[in-house]
């Protein structure tokens, strides 16, 4: 580059600088332009006084170590002792389902009649062990009451009765795969506290009969045992619409109470998350204010003037 070109570039940069200083004469008081101000004063120029610097906006400081308020502390979801962990909620191996498309013969129906009687007897014995005879028994339900000692003994025996009933219902399903048979076996799984197995049977029953109120109730009870309160509420409600059951109504009330508790917990968790978000925003604002250099007045040094980086 020739000397003439250097001078032309310098003049252009100086013109640009002068235009900037005309618009913001207070920049002459910045450390970066001290040499230029001295030169102008030496030439008799009148420099306008520096404007009073505005204080940095006050930003509320946020202490990271500040303890959380009681409202901000995370509150765990209440644990329901009646909810069955999924690791304990299934049978192994999974129950047999038979062939749902099978057309039973007369011989199948005859055999099924005898097997059904045995299945119902074992299921009723199991229910008696729990102190009542409900879904698998007569209508209306019949309730039996025992002394504490007798009830304790029969409850201990009831699990084996239900396992026997499941085996009989499985045999019955192989002979006559009906929605009622699947739903009855599912109810046995409910009593055995195996809700995942019960849900499979309820789903199978609903495939065969979408209007099976009992299948919906079985699935609703299973979802309640798993703590799936929303699903339990939907299934129990649908089952009641199809075929009202007083026992299911009592469970509906319990599920509704659990749903209310869940919604309150979710609302509290949302409020805590919002407070944490506000705290984080304040912290970010405080950090930004601390990093902002309000005294430089001339961002980037001399690079703030286009073309003067090399002067």
């Amino acid at each position: 580059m020739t000397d003439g070109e250097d001078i032309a570039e310098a003049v252009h940069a100086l013109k640009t600088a002068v235009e900037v200083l005309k618009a913001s004469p207070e920049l002459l008081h910045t450390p970066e332009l001290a040499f230029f101000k001295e030169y102008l004063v030496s030439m008799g120029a009148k420099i306008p006084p520096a404007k009073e610097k505005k204080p940095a906006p006050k930003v509320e400081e946020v202490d990271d170590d500040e303890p959380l308020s009681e409202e901000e502390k995370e509150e765990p979801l209440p644990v329901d002792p009646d909810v069955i962990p999924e690791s304990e909620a299934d049978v192994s191996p999974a129950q047999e389902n038979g062939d749902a498309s099978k057309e039973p013969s007369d011989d199948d129906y005859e055999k099924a009649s005898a097997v059904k009687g045995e299945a119902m007897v074992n299921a009723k014995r199991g229910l008696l062990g729990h102190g009542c005879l409900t879904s698998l028994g007569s209508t209306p339900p019949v309730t039996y009451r025992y002394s504490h000692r007798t009830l304790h003994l029969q409850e201990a025996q009831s699990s084996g009765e239900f396992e026997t009933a499941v085996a009989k219902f499985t045999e019955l399903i192989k002979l006559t795969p009906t929605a009622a048979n699947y739903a009855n076996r599912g109810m046995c799984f409910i009593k055995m506290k195996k809700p995942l197995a019960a849900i499979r049977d309820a789903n199978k029953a609903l495939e065969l009969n979408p209007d099976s109120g009992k299948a919906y109730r079985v699935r609703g009870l299973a979802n309640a045992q798993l703590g799936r309160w929303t699903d339990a509420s939907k299934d129990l409600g649908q089952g009641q619409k199809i075929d009202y059951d007083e026992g299911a109504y009592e469970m509906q009330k319990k599920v509704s109470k659990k749903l209310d508790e869940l919604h309150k917990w979710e609302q509290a968790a949302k409020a805590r998350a919002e407070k944490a978000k506000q705290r984080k925003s304040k912290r970010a604002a405080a950090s930004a204010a601390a990093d902002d250099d309000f005294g430089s007045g001339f961002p980037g040094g001399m690079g703030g003037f286009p073309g003067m980086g090399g002067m």
Side-chain angles (χ1 to χ4, degrees), residues 298-309:
F298 209 36
M302 290 302 291
F305 283 145
M308 291 189 69

Side-chain angles (χ1 to χ4, degrees), residues 1-14 307 310-311:
M1 183 179 291
T2 65
D3 291 342
E5 291 174 337
D6 286 342
I7 293 173
E9 183 178 349
V11 170
H12 175 72
L14 184 59
M311 286 186 70

Side-chain angles (χ1 to χ4, degrees), residues 122-175:
N122 283 282
K124 288 179 180 180
R125 286 175 180 169
L127 289 168
L128 287 172
H130 281 269
C132 64
L133 180 60
T134 55
S135 301
L136 291 169
S138 58
T139 303
V142 179
T143 301
Y144 299 87
R145 300 186 183 280
Y146 307 96
S147 68
H148 177 73
R149 181 176 300 175
T150 304
L151 181 59
H152 179 76
L153 176 62
Q154 290 179 324
E155 283 180 341
Q157 296 172 337
S158 64
S159 179
E161 300 289 357
F162 282 124
E163 289 177 3
T164 302
V166 164
K168 292 298 180 181
F169 276 120
T170 299
E171 187 178 348
L172 185 60
I173 286 169
K174 290 180 179 179
L175 291 169

Side-chain angles (χ1 to χ4, degrees), residues 19 22 26 43 76 81 135 146 167 202 212 224 233 237 268 277 279 300 303:
E19 291 299 323
K22 283 182 180 180
E26 67 274 9
M43 297 295 291
S135 301
Y146 307 96
S212 173
S233 179
K277 183 179 178 181
R279 178 187 285 260

Side-chain angles (χ1 to χ4, degrees), residues 60-273:
E60 182 181 350
E61 293 184 359
V62 178
D63 185 1
D64 286 349
D65 296 328
E66 180 184 349
L68 297 175
S69 67
E70 289 300 320
E71 291 182 352
E72 291 177 303
K73 290 181 180 179
E74 183 174 353
E75 182 181 345
L77 183 64
V79 177
D80 190 327
D82 294 331
V83 170
I84 300 171
E86 291 198 11
S87 59
E88 303 172 10
D90 208 350
V91 292
S92 181
Q95 70 267 39
E96 297 181 69
N97 280 327
D99 182 7
S101 62
K102 175 183 177 180
E103 290 291 340
S105 64
D106 291 340
D107 186 49
D108 289 331
Y109 281 117
E110 186 176 346
K111 292 179 181 178
S113 179
V115 173
K116 183 177 182 179
E118 295 176 18
M120 296 298 287
V121 166
N122 283 282
K124 288 179 180 180
R125 286 175 180 169
L127 289 168
L128 287 172
H130 281 269
C132 64
L133 180 60
T134 55
S135 301
L136 291 169
S138 58
T139 303
V142 179
T143 301
Y144 299 87
R145 300 186 183 280
Y146 307 96
S147 68
H148 177 73
R149 181 176 300 175
T150 304
L151 181 59
H152 179 76
L153 176 62
Q154 290 179 324
E155 283 180 341
Q157 296 172 337
S158 64
S159 179
E161 300 289 357
F162 282 124
E163 289 177 3
T164 302
V166 164
K168 292 298 180 181
F169 276 120
T170 299
E171 187 178 348
L172 185 60
I173 286 169
K174 290 180 179 179
L175 291 169
T176 53
T178 66
N181 290 336
Y182 280 109
N184 281 333
R185 186 175 67 174
M187 185 58 72
C188 290
F189 284 128
I190 291 292
K191 297 302 181 181
M192 291 169 61
K193 297 185 178 180
K194 299 298 181 183
L196 291 177
I199 287 174
R200 286 196 296 271
D201 273 354
N203 289 340
K204 199 68 179 177
L206 289 170
E207 288 178 14
L208 295 171
N209 180 11
D211 293 324
S212 173
K214 186 171 189 177
Y216 276 112
R217 283 196 295 274
V218 167
R219 196 168 68 180
L221 292 171
N223 280 318
Q225 286 186 335
L226 291 167
R228 301 173 182 175
W229 306 117
T230 301
D231 291 338
S233 179
K234 290 179 181 178
D235 283 335
L236 289 172
Q238 184 62 26
Q240 293 294 75
K241 287 180 182 179
I242 296 172
D243 179 19
Y244 182 81
D245 181 87
E246 186 66 32
Y249 173 69
E250 293 301 317
M251 178 55 70
Q252 272 187 300
K253 290 196 294 185
K254 176 183 177 180
V255 170
S256 294
K257 182 179 178 181
K258 293 295 182 181
L259 270 179
D260 287 343
E261 292 175 359
L262 178 61
H263 290 159
K264 288 178 182 178
W265 181 87
E266 289 175 341
Q267 290 172 357
K270 185 177 180 180
R272 287 193 297 271

